[in-house]
Amino acid sequence: MVPVIVARDLVKKYKDTLAVDNITFSIEEGEVFGFLGPNGAGKTTTMRMIQCVSPVTSGSLEIFGMDAMSHPREIKSRLGVVPQENNLDMDFTVYENLVVFSRYFDIPRGEAERRATELLEFVHLEDKKDTMTESLSGGMKRRLILARALINRPRMLILDEPTVGLDPQARHMIWDKLRALKKQGVTVVLTSHYLDEVEKLCDRLVVMDYGKILVEGSPSQVIREYVGSGIVEAENNPELIECLKRKEASYEVIGDLVHIYTDNPKQIAEFLTMECSISKMSARPATLEDVFLKLTGRRLRE
């Protein structure tokens, strides 16, 4: 596949604050690529540079083969953006929000109306066409923002926390629409605090912290490489630590618990029961939260 974004040694500074610290990554056409990290990690700042609304301090950023600093207008015309905040026009109807927004792209009125009708059907809001936007539920507003971002038929969709604050049903509906867009060949770039969202949607991702990229790869690869497929949790005590050292097991002390990283939780549980006399323990699949915790000693959402 062809890269649609190539960032090399990308840096963003705000006065004395280093928001993005010398990161390098590429995003291929047609994939879903995620930026995962806590607040202040540099995710949104990176997205703003990709959107060509925040200038690059140093390094290089190419989008669709064009330099982001030299060709912002051409790049923006090929992007669709779903911001974290709701910036719909509450004085317009659902339909008017789409048609009026189309003027930014010089789409002829007749074509804009056809696209608006198609997009409202795509996000299942056709029965709300003449409803005032203010009266929509939170989930409906997020779907309308998604429809609006697609009015120019973008090659790439940028989403900042696309399902923040939504109930599970509304989140899954957004996920279904993003999967449908991927099948149509649209490149999707997103940030998210929801681990299950990133794991289910993303082909690849980067985990960021303090402006740096810690790891990159597919969700399953990252989890497997850094923590294994499973976690066994047991209460921390000196005997347990000695047993784990003898076995040369991979583990981390997390407060009053010990996280033991393994591809074979059953084997570890049997070892702890027989060799260490530890009976109180639990096993679960490893997640991206465990990767971040192991790399930084902190949780993603502290």
Side-chain angles (χ1 to χ4, degrees):
M1 283 188 274
V2 179
V4 291
I5 297 179
V6 179
R8 298 185 182 92
D9 304 320
L10 193 61
V11 172
K12 178 64 182 182
K13 290 183 179 179
Y14 296 102
K15 295 183 179 179
D16 297 328
T17 301
L18 184 59
V20 174
D21 186 4
N22 200 48
I23 65 173
T24 296
F25 63 91
S26 65
I27 299 175
E28 296 179 346
E29 185 174 13
E31 75 174 337
V32 180
F33 191 94
F35 289 85
L36 181 66
N39 289 332
K43 309 184 304 297
T44 297
T45 301
T46 303
M47 299 282 266
R48 285 176 58 80
M49 287 189 283
I50 293 172
Q51 294 170 38
C52 302
V53 297
S54 182
V56 173
T57 301
S58 65
S60 65
L61 178 60
E62 292 184 359
I63 304 167
F64 306 124
M66 296 177 283
D67 179 72
M69 295 290 285
S70 304
H71 299 84
R73 187 170 183 176
E74 296 95 322
I75 292 169
K76 286 180 181 180
S77 70
R78 305 180 190 187
L79 298 178
V81 178
V82 176
Q84 183 174 342
E85 70 280 1
N86 173 15
N87 61 355
L88 295 166
D89 195 318
M90 297 300 162
D91 294 327
F92 289 161
T93 66
V94 167
Y95 182 73
E96 289 169 341
N97 257 284
L98 300 185
V99 174
V100 172
F101 188 73
S102 71
R103 296 176 186 171
Y104 288 106
F105 302 97
D106 295 323
I107 301 170
R109 177 79 184 193
E111 177 63 20
E113 291 176 346
R114 283 191 292 274
R115 293 187 189 185
T117 299
E118 290 173 1
L119 287 168
L120 290 179
E121 292 175 357
F122 177 69
V123 297
H124 302 308
L125 288 175
E126 61 270 29
D127 60 335
K128 300 292 183 180
K129 175 181 177 181
D130 298 319
T131 301
M132 295 304 294
T133 302
E134 187 176 14
S135 66
L136 297 179
S137 67
M140 289 178 181
K141 287 174 182 173
R142 293 305 286 172
R143 280 148 55 195
L144 180 56
I145 292 172
L146 174 60
R148 187 188 61 182
L150 298 172
I151 196 71
N152 61 320
R153 295 180 176 167
R155 288 179 55 190
M156 185 189 306
L157 188 64
I158 310 292
L159 306 102
D160 192 3
E161 301 287 348
T163 63
V164 65
L166 299 186
D167 61 57
Q169 183 178 2
R171 289 179 67 209
H172 282 87
M173 183 171 286
I174 294 289
W175 292 358
D176 288 343
K177 298 309 167 190
L178 295 181
R179 292 187 183 104
L181 290 168
K182 173 181 166 59
K183 288 181 180 179
Q184 294 172 18
V186 177
T187 304
V188 178
V189 183
L190 63 88
T191 72
S192 179
H193 277 90
Y194 295 117
L195 299 169
D196 57 341
E197 184 163 88
V198 173
E199 289 184 24
K200 286 181 171 64
L201 291 178
C202 292
D203 300 305
R204 290 191 304 127
L205 60 87
V206 292
V207 178
M208 294 186 68
D209 194 30
Y210 295 118
K212 290 183 175 292
I213 291 176
L214 303 181
V215 295
E216 178 179 351
S218 72
S220 60
Q221 287 171 341
V222 168
I223 292 169
R224 186 169 59 250
E225 180 178 352
Y226 286 89
V227 296
S229 61
I231 302 284
V232 174
E233 293 181 337
E235 290 185 4
N236 184 18
N237 65 65
E239 181 186 2
L240 172 60
I241 299 302
E242 287 301 316
C243 283
L244 294 174
K245 288 180 178 178
R246 288 200 306 271
K247 189 172 178 57
E248 298 182 346
S250 176
Y251 69 91
E252 195 84 27
V253 178
I254 312 292
D256 295 331
L257 295 175
V258 177
H259 282 194
I260 305 151
Y261 307 115
T262 177
D263 286 323
N264 195 331
K266 182 178 179 181
Q267 184 183 66
I268 286 291
E270 291 175 350
F271 170 79
L272 295 179
T273 301
M274 296 178 61
E275 301 293 330
C276 310
S277 302
I278 304 294
S279 57
K280 292 184 65 176
M281 69 191 83
S282 61
R284 59 174 175 79
T287 69
L288 289 168
E289 177 79 47
D290 297 307
V291 174
F292 189 80
L293 186 62
K294 184 175 183 181
L295 291 173
T296 68
R298 309 188 331 272
R299 296 189 181 277
L300 271 166
R301 287 177 285 179
E302 287 186 334

